[in-house]
């Protein structure tokens, strides 16, 4: 008796300033709100794009994304009906959830063409906030020829099988923050037929006081980064 359910399809939203920002289109939305506590659980998914950055060297970001939020403090498994089909809210535990995930592609003029499976999750426990950013299946090309579908005119560096993980912790009570960061991938030089240059790249840093394990989305632990303090 103290809950309101909202379901919608064909949702459009814009976040930004003027005509520059991020646009969400053709989205489905499901919300369960508690009228007593004013807290809610939400699932929305649709198409995202970057607006207002046109030009020869402008940004072009497009993809599909899902937003998941649970503030209710209880597990939820419920399906709501919309004119475009069902929206399922599934949160196995009552832990707070604030997650944005999706597959995006990014272009910058004729210089950069990249894509990745991206997720951003925020968790707050009292004075401590954890931000977890993960990019998997990263592919990128930096150079000239990125704006065309053909690879024959590419000249630059291509990254394959890339991955990136960032964990950022902020404590407002002690006014401290630190992070652990790891990146890996295979890079190759393209566009010079007489020269082959390819190799694996890895980089990592841990500014925090504790050992941190960074996982890159595989079941094996062999490719995890275990970073001691000060790494």
């Amino acid at each position: 008796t103290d809950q309101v359910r909202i379901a919608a399809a064909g949702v459009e939203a814009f976040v930004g300033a003027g005509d520059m920002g991020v646009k969400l289109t053709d989205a489905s939305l499901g919300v369960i709100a508690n009228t007593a506590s004013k807290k809610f659980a939400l699932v929305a998914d649709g198409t995202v794009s970057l607006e207002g950055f046109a030009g020869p060297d402008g940004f072009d970001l497009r993809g599909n994304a899902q937003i998941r939020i649970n503030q209710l403090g209880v597990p939820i498994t419920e399906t709501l009906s919309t004119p475009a089909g069902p929206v399922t809210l599934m949160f196995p535990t009552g832990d707070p959830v604030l997650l944005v995930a999706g597959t995006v592609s990014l272009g910058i003029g004729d210089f950069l063409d990249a894509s990745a499976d991206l997720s951003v999750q925020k968790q707050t426990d009292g004075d401590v906030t954890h931000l977890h950013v993960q990019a998997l299946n990263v592919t990128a090309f930096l150079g000239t020829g990125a704006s065309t579908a053909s690879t024959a005119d590419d000249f630059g560096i291509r990254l394959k099988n890339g991955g990136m993980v960032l964990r950022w912790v902020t404590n407002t009570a002690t006014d401290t923050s630190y992070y652990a960061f790891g990146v890996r991938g295979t890079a190759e030089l393209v566009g010079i037929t007489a020269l082959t240059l390819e190799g694996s790249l890895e980089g990592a840093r841990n500014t925090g006081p504790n050992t941190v394990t960074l996982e890159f989305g595989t079941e094996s632990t062999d490719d995890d980064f275990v970073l001691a303090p000060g790494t």
Side-chain angles (χ1 to χ4, degrees), residues 203-222:
R205 188 178 187 190
N206 180 12
T207 65
N210 304 311
T211 298
V212 178
T213 299
L214 300 181
E215 301 175 358
F216 285 83
T218 65
E219 295 182 358
S220 173
T221 59
D222 295 339

Side-chain angles (χ1 to χ4, degrees), residues 58-169:
F59 289 87
D60 180 24
L61 185 147
R62 301 182 184 278
N64 298 312
Q66 183 180 72
I67 302 170
R68 296 171 49 80
I69 302 172
N70 184 11
Q71 302 176 344
L72 295 178
V74 296
I76 301 170
T77 301
E78 189 165 341
T79 299
L80 305 180
S81 298
T82 80
V87 176
T88 299
L89 288 83
M90 182 174 292
F91 298 93
T93 71
D95 297 337
V97 174
L98 176 54
L99 172 67
V100 179
T103 300
V104 297
S105 61
L106 172 66
I108 303 178
D110 193 45
F111 175 69
L112 173 66
D113 180 27
S115 64
D117 297 332
L118 183 68
S119 68
V120 181
Q121 184 169 7
K122 178 183 177 182
Q123 294 177 312
T124 301
D125 183 10
D127 298 320
V128 181
T129 298
H130 297 264
L131 183 67
H132 183 199
V133 182
Q134 187 174 61
L136 302 176
N137 300 318
V138 179
T139 62
F141 172 75
L142 297 92
T144 61
S147 60
T148 63
S150 173
T151 59
D153 60 347
D154 290 354
F155 181 84
I157 297 175
R158 180 175 289 118
L159 176 70
K160 302 179 294 183
N161 305 318
M164 184 275 290
V165 181
L166 169 67
R167 294 184 181 273
W168 190 290
V169 180

